[in-house]
Amino acid sequence: MRSRRKQWIINICSIALALLFLFPIYVMVLSAFKPNNEIFNMSLIPDFSTLTLDNFRQVLANGSFFQSMLNSFIIAGTITIAALLFHSMAGFALAKLKFPGKRFVFGWFMSTMMIPFAVIMIPLFSIVKGMGLLNTLWAVILPLLPNAYGIFLYRQFFMDIPDSLMEAARIDGLSNFQIFWQIYRPLSTPITVTLGITFFVTNWNTYLWPLIVTQRQDLWVVQVAMANFKQEHTTAWNLVLAGAVIAALPTVILFFLFQNYIKDGIKTAGMKE
């Protein structure tokens, strides 16, 4: 009886938490189908006679919104692929290779996690401007590539792999890069997928930095494009919410496609030596 009662309590708490997290999403999706004059009607049971697809038609009819979606995809995709490659190599080196100052380098990487982005934003802008990259997608991509969080997780993952595997590979004549590419990289698939989705979602939703370094409309990311549905005296909330639903679709699809890898990556990242 105690076991059943405990299970019931866990189930009820899980359902309550799920409803708590799903409630804002439900309100957003429901409001995206409402006309602008009904947006602030907070009835949770919709009046189906007032729901419309015109909001989505207006957003999709705007050619610049498609361009902003493409810009976001290029930025998030490029950062994700490049970051996974560089971070995995750095994590492998910090976990398995021996070189002077390794602990100092790792501590230096970790210290960057303590610095808020707002602190380095102005120096980054000065560097990007000095390189002549303002109003280009590279101005968004390059400063967002380094991420100590990814290096840390890769290092922890590779440290859990026995050293005997690397020693056997060296006996077979493999170089350090071949050991990484042919053995350690395939083994890190769960953590790679988990980090890849994290990087993609984070950079897909980025707003402040692209707003600062790209003033041209054809370089806007999707978050900046949605913010520009706000006018000087009015805000087209119906278009903002419809755009938010469309912008959320790629990340939702990614989650459902790779949810098993995400769970495996989280479980693996929690393992200890």
Side-chain angles (χ1 to χ4, degrees), residues 254-272:
L254 276 177
F255 173 79
F256 281 107
L257 287 177
F258 297 104
Q259 56 182 315
N260 291 330
Y261 286 104
I262 295 174
K263 290 186 289 185
D264 291 342
I266 293 173
K267 289 188 293 185
T268 305
M271 293 172 58
K272 295 183 178 179

Side-chain angles (χ1 to χ4, degrees), residues 61-160:
N62 188 345
S64 62
F65 190 81
F66 276 108
Q67 182 62 46
S68 65
M69 290 277 289
L70 178 61
N71 292 338
S72 289
F73 185 80
I74 293 172
I75 290 170
T78 303
I79 292 175
T80 299
I81 294 171
L84 290 176
L85 176 62
F86 296 140
H87 293 177
S88 60
M89 289 193 293
F92 173 77
L94 290 170
K96 295 300 180 183
L97 302 184
K98 296 180 181 180
F99 55 90
K102 184 170 75 171
R103 289 187 177 181
F104 172 78
V105 171
F106 178 67
W108 178 57
F109 282 158
M110 292 302 99
S111 67
T112 62
M113 298 178 66
M114 313 290 182
I115 304 173
F117 184 75
V119 174
I120 62 174
M121 193 163 52
I122 295 177
L124 272 181
F125 180 84
S126 300
I127 293 171
V128 170
K129 183 179 179 181
M131 296 173 66
L133 295 178
L134 286 182
N135 284 316
T136 67
L137 294 183
W138 288 111
V140 182
I141 293 171
L142 291 178
L144 299 181
L145 275 178
N147 192 318
Y149 175 71
I151 297 173
F152 171 76
L153 285 187
Y154 268 117
R155 176 185 178 271
Q156 297 305 111
F157 180 87
F158 289 140
M159 287 183 69
D160 291 331

Side-chain angles (χ1 to χ4, degrees), residues 159-206:
M159 287 183 69
D160 291 331
I161 300 176
D163 292 337
S164 57
L165 186 64
M166 187 168 183
E167 293 170 0
R170 280 180 173 163
I171 292 173
D172 289 337
L174 296 183
S175 64
N176 287 333
F177 182 78
Q178 288 174 322
I179 293 172
F180 161 74
W181 191 257
Q182 298 178 20
I183 299 175
Y184 281 79
R185 183 189 58 83
L187 290 175
S188 64
T189 298
I191 197 70
T192 297
V193 174
T194 304
L195 279 174
I197 293 174
T198 302
F199 290 156
F200 186 89
V201 172
T202 300
N203 291 288
W204 179 268
N205 292 327
T206 187

Side-chain angles (χ1 to χ4, degrees), residues 241-257:
L241 292 169
V245 171
I246 296 172
L249 287 178
T251 57
V252 173
I253 292 171
L254 276 177
F255 173 79
F256 281 107
L257 287 177

